[in-house]
């Protein structure tokens, strides 16, 4: 039976103000977290693909208990199994540490054929961990997928449409594979009542590096400091004029002065 | 020691971000007095080699083996990983394009090296390479360093100036053999649909964006459409016939708010914001965009922001240097006409 895995994490609500506090830590006050916005699409795609092949689906988070919210939301959407990997003291912001733990989880599950990621994680603002997981597993990586055209788990084959800056590319590859999907690939569902009830009752197993038989790599990066972006220092000038043509000409004159045309 | 920079090509042309990456590589090389080495895979084009030399590469490492003619992540990252292992550069830099991101992340993984992705600023301090980058959708900035022999760095589009040419500069060429590939072609490209003629948002100096307000187009929708379909038709018609002429005369890319994308007015590729693209043009013209915090995350670092909106209280006016309160369907055509007079 086919087994599709996906990874998610809890991130601050997209409308939340996020800032650096006096201790230099990132905070968003007491605003609730949501699933990483890019993962709405990977969760939906995992549910759809698992259903269409009659396979199994597992959602995994790497990190602390804050991620249980994202895992429960995933179950409420329709993911079958949830799992969290936690190793206190490990630097989960380092993509090599993260991908070592993720690879350990996939190896322990043993029967995963396909991993579906959202395009990136909004907190760390990168997708490097997705590629590094694929390399650690030695699996094919298909990034920035706009559509899955065909998957044949029996024949171990997958065909997708990939997004490049210059256009769209149709690519065929072998399973097992890691893919990352773009917004627009599907229309993510909202959890229904039954799903929310299932999620509320779910007990999420937590595995440690020891459980995975792993010695973690040394982090290859270090965060030196977080900073609040400089305030945007603008005084807004509302352009006036007798009519729209006068307003337009007056705006063009100002833009020429600013040397941005 | 040296600083590597991957010169990305597409259809035989260097992508614009690569010359920006070269100027970032020069910053790192200058800090430690190192040579910049340009990596050219799958091309042996003399003009590109000369261009790389003139823009500051002391050496071009060229691998034009036929297995590298078409970009493939597996072959390219294996070769890059091997070059890093054997030559131990201080850093490897590329543009943070889709390919640059995946190539450097993979090779950094293979060599267990630190990667600073999508940086907007770089400096060398006491031998440490420090990169500044955005996190939490641009709501927070962070400074990071890599503590490995080689630091991998991808640079955000338009964060660094393109390295200038100097006709006097010359350099050396070294040809290298491809890495013995461990895979038997696991990926195969079946088809490619070009989106040429459009200017990429990441590279654009000017962006004209449309939002929910695009739906208030006075043009009449065809009679067989009603309700939501008619609204979508009006908005699409507005992007094509009102925003596009303005974008064309400015040489601008077309952007959109999430509201416009989710309503089906324009494809997702154009979305600017938290779940779209983060852009930093010199000029950003927001038409009929209210300026939700998710949209601001994608464009607030534009140099000059112009807001055109009916609602004088729209949050976008707080970010804008210039604002015009009014109907975009009157103002944008007037603006296009005024520019036509000035620029042609």
């Amino acid at each position: 039976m086919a087994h599709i895995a996906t990874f998610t994490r809890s991130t601050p609500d997209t409308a939340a103000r996020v800032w650096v506090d006096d201790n230099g830590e990132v905070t968003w006050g007491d605003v609730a977290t949501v699933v990483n916005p890019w993962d709405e699409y990977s969760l939906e795609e995992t549910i759809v693909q698992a259903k269409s092949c009659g396979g199994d689906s597992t959602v995994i988070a790497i990190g602390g208990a804050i991620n249980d919210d994202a895992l429960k939301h995933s179950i409420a959407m329709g993911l079958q199994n949830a799992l969290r990997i936690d190793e206190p003291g490990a630097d989960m912001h380092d993509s090599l540490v993260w991908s070592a733990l993720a690879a350990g989880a996939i190896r322990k599950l043993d029967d995963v054929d396909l991993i579906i990621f959202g395009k990136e994680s909004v907190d760390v603002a990168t997708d490097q961990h997705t590629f590094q997981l694929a390399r650690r597993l030695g699996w094919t990586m298909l990034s920035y997928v706009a559509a899955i055209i065909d998957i044949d788990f029996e024949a171990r084959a997958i065909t997708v449409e990939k997004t490049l800056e210059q256009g769209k590319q149709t690519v065929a590859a072998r399973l097992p594979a890691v893919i990352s999907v773009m917004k627009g690939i599907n229309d993510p569902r909202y959890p229904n009542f039954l799903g929310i009830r299932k999620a509320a009752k779910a007990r999420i197993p937590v595995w440690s590096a020891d459980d995975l038989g792993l010695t973690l790599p040394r982090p290859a990066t270090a965060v030196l400091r977080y900073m609040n972006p400089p305030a945007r220092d603008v005084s807004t000038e509302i352009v006036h004029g007798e009519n729209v043509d006068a307003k337009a000409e007056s705006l063009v004159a100002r833009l020429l002065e600013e040397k941005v045309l | 020691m040296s600083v590597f920079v991957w010169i990305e090509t597409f259809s035989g042309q260097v992508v614009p971000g690569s010359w920006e990456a070269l100027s970032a590589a020069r910053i790192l090389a200058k800090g430690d007095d190192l040579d910049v080495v340009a990596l050219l895979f799958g091309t042996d084009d003399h003009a590109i080699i000369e261009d790389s030399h003139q823009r500051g590469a002391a050496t071009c490492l060229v691998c034009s083996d036929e297995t590298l003619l078409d970009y493939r992540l597996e072959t390219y990252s294996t070769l890059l990983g091997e070059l890093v292992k054997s030559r131990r550069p201080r850093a490897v830099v590329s543009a943070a394009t889709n390919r640059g991101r995946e190539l450097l992340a993979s090779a950094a993984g293979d060599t267990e090296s630190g990667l600073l992705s999508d940086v907007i600023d770089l400096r060398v301090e006491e031998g440490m390479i420090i990169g500044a980058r955005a996190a939490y959708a641009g709501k927070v900035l962070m400074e990071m360093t890599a503590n490995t022999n080689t630091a991998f760095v991808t640079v955000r589009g338009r964060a660094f100036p393109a390295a200038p040419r100097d006709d006097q500069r010359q350099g050396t060429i070294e040809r290298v053999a491809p890495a013995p590939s461990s895979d038997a072609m696991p990926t195969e490209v079946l088809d490619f649909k070009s989106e040429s003629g459009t200017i990429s948002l990441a590279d654009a100096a000017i962006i004209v964006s449309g939002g929910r307000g695009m739906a208030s187009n006075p043009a009449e929708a065809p009679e067989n459409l009603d309700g939501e379909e008619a609204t979508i038709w009006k908005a699409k018609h507005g992007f094509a016939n009102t925003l596009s002429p303005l974008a064309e005369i400015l040489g601008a890319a077309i952007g959109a708010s999430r509201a416009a994308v989710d309503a089906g007015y324009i494809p997702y590729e154009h979305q600017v914001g938290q779940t779209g693209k983060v852009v930093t043009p010199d000029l950003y013209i927001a038409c009929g965009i209210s300026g939700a915090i998710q949209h601001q995350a994608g464009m607030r670092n534009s140099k000059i922001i112009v807001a055109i909106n009916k609602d004088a209280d729209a949050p976008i006016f707080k970010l804008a240097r210039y604002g015009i309160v009014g109907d975009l369907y009157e103002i944008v055509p007037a603006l296009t006409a005024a520019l036509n007079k000035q620029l042609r």
Side-chain angles (χ1 to χ4, degrees):
Chain A
M1 192 172 67
H3 189 175
I4 306 175
T6 185
F7 287 84
T8 193
R9 62 179 78 190
S10 295
T11 58
D13 190 280
T14 55
R17 191 169 84 85
V18 179
W19 72 97
V20 182
D21 69 15
D22 294 342
N23 302 319
E25 303 287 340
V26 176
T27 180
W28 47 90
D30 49 11
V31 176
T33 59
V34 295
V35 293
N36 171 40
W38 300 95
D39 293 346
E40 298 266 349
Y41 307 95
S42 43
L43 290 167
E44 176 68 26
E45 200 60 27
T46 304
I47 295 166
V48 168
Q49 297 296 340
K51 202 167 269 177
S52 92
C53 69
D56 213 359
S57 60
T58 301
V59 56
I60 308 168
I62 313 271
I66 187 175
N67 295 291
D68 286 350
D69 292 342
L71 293 173
K72 293 207 165 185
H73 180 86
S74 310
I75 296 171
M77 278 178 78
L79 264 290
Q80 289 162 313
N81 318 296
L83 180 63
R84 184 158 61 82
I85 314 297
D86 198 8
E87 183 59 36
D91 180 359
M92 306 299 189
H93 281 84
D94 185 84
S95 61
L96 290 177
V97 173
W98 191 99
S99 59
L101 286 163
I106 295 298
R107 289 206 177 94
K108 189 171 160 86
L109 290 172
D110 197 38
D111 62 348
V112 175
D113 306 282
L114 177 67
I115 298 169
I116 304 182
F117 275 101
K119 181 184 164 281
E120 65 181 54
S121 291
V122 74
D123 51 355
V124 288
T126 183
D127 52 8
Q128 61 203 60
H129 53 291
T130 67
F131 303 107
Q132 294 180 348
L133 172 60
R135 295 302 284 190
R136 286 199 189 280
L137 294 170
W139 293 10
T140 305
M141 179 79 210
L142 300 167
S143 58
Y144 317 122
V145 168
I148 295 179
I149 294 165
D150 188 49
I151 305 184
D152 186 337
F153 287 97
E154 299 256 305
R156 317 293 296 155
I158 181 168
T159 306
V160 301
E161 187 178 69
K162 271 172 61 96
T163 311
L164 303 178
E165 283 85 359
Q166 299 86 355
K168 296 248 168 65
Q169 205 179 34
T170 307
V171 180
R174 312 286 303 162
L175 294 175
V178 179
I179 73 173
S180 69
V181 299
M182 306 289 283
K183 178 179 171 177
I185 190 170
N186 55 39
D187 215 352
R189 71 193 67 192
Y190 291 104
N192 62 23
F193 177 69
L194 278 178
I196 292 168
R197 245 190 17 190
K198 189 181 169 208
K201 281 191 282 188
R203 298 184 72 115
I204 296 164
V206 179
W207 295 349
S208 68
D210 259 0
D211 295 329
L212 305 176
L214 281 180
T215 314
L216 285 182
R218 208 170 62 95
T221 54
V223 176
L224 301 176
R225 62 185 181 126
Y226 289 102
M227 297 160 290
N228 289 308
R232 203 181 155 80
D233 187 19
V234 288
S235 55
T236 306
E237 180 187 341
I238 299 293
V239 179
H240 295 284
E242 274 182 17
N243 52 38
V244 283
D245 294 330
K247 287 180 191 174
E249 276 173 22
S250 158
L251 176 60
V252 170
R254 282 165 175 75
L255 295 178
L256 285 169
E257 270 172 38
E258 299 273 6
K259 297 189 170 53
V260 289
L261 293 182
Chain B
M1 275 220 296
S2 56
V3 173
F4 283 3
V5 54
W6 179 49
I7 304 299
E8 179 180 353
T9 56
F10 191 88
S11 296
Q13 301 290 318
V14 174
V15 306
S18 285
W19 300 136
E20 298 168 14
L22 203 155
S23 95
R26 287 178 65 179
I27 293 174
L28 299 182
K30 197 176 171 198
D32 282 329
D33 205 12
L34 308 173
D35 278 342
V36 171
V37 174
L39 307 179
L40 290 165
F41 295 170
T43 179
D44 199 3
D45 187 332
H46 181 72
I48 297 177
I49 293 171
E50 190 181 72
D51 211 351
S52 304
H53 285 146
Q54 292 185 350
R55 291 177 193 268
T59 301
C60 285
L61 269 188
V62 178
C63 187
S64 55
D65 188 79
E66 61 176 14
T67 57
L68 298 168
L69 290 182
D70 290 319
Y71 169 90
R72 287 176 58 246
L73 176 59
E74 295 81 8
T75 46
Y76 274 50
S77 59
T78 305
L79 174 58
L80 179 54
E82 292 301 321
L83 288 171
V84 168
K85 279 178 199 161
S86 60
R87 295 167 190 248
R88 300 168 64 90
R90 179 66 191 97
V92 180
V93 186
S94 96
T97 56
N98 286 6
R99 285 177 169 176
R101 289 162 77 125
E102 65 173 22
L103 174 61
L104 265 64
S106 301
D110 288 356
T111 56
E112 301 278 336
S113 304
L115 164 61
L116 315 179
S117 70
D118 224 8
V119 304
I120 53 177
D121 193 30
L122 275 173
R123 64 179 199 273
V124 180
E125 217 173 81
E126 292 170 12
M128 243 188 353
I129 292 175
I130 298 173
R133 55 191 302 278
Y136 294 91
K139 293 171 185 171
V140 162
L141 298 178
M142 65 197 284
E143 282 189 344
M144 282 180 80
T145 186
N147 47 37
T148 46
N149 286 326
T150 301
F152 283 69
V153 179
T154 61
V155 300
R156 174 168 288 183
R158 298 179 48 78
F160 297 84
R165 292 176 71 137
D166 174 351
D167 296 353
Q168 302 304 310
R169 237 188 243 124
Q170 291 181 339
T172 57
I173 303 172
E174 186 184 345
R175 289 173 207 283
V176 291
S181 186
S182 53
D183 68 79
M185 296 290 272
T187 58
E188 187 190 353
V189 176
L190 305 178
D191 185 34
F192 175 69
K193 279 182 290 199
S194 167
E195 282 165 18
S196 63
T198 57
I199 298 158
S200 123
L201 284 168
D203 298 326
I206 303 179
I207 293 173
V208 177
S209 263
R212 208 191 296 269
M214 295 304 294
S216 67
N217 191 349
E220 289 288 334
E223 279 180 15
N224 59 334
L225 301 179
D226 53 9
E228 203 185 326
E229 282 187 336
T231 309
I232 291 174
W233 182 92
K234 285 182 171 209
K236 283 186 171 169
H237 183 272
F239 270 107
N241 298 289
T242 303
L243 247 48
S244 289
L246 175 60
E248 202 169 304
I249 190 167
L250 290 170
I254 299 248
S257 71
R258 175 179 170 167
V261 170
D262 286 359
Y265 301 167
I266 187 165
Y268 166 64
E269 283 76 25
H270 295 274
Q271 186 179 322
V272 170
Q274 189 154 253
T275 47
K277 297 205 171 66
V278 177
V279 298
T280 50
D282 294 335
L283 175 60
Y284 188 92
I285 305 180
C287 308
I289 292 176
S290 65
I293 189 169
Q294 293 92 336
H295 188 70
Q296 293 190 11
M299 46 66 81
R300 70 189 304 276
N301 291 319
S302 307
K303 195 169 150 203
I304 299 284
I305 295 168
V306 172
I308 299 170
N309 205 297
K310 271 182 187 169
D311 175 8
D313 294 326
I316 192 77
F317 284 114
K318 295 217 166 59
L319 280 187
R321 175 71 188 90
Y322 299 106
I324 299 184
V325 180
D327 182 353
L328 78 93
Y329 281 99
E330 290 175 11
I331 295 159
V332 172
L335 188 55
T336 308
L339 284 163
N340 244 318
K341 255 198 256 171
Q342 280 288 342
L343 302 179
R344 287 213 168 139

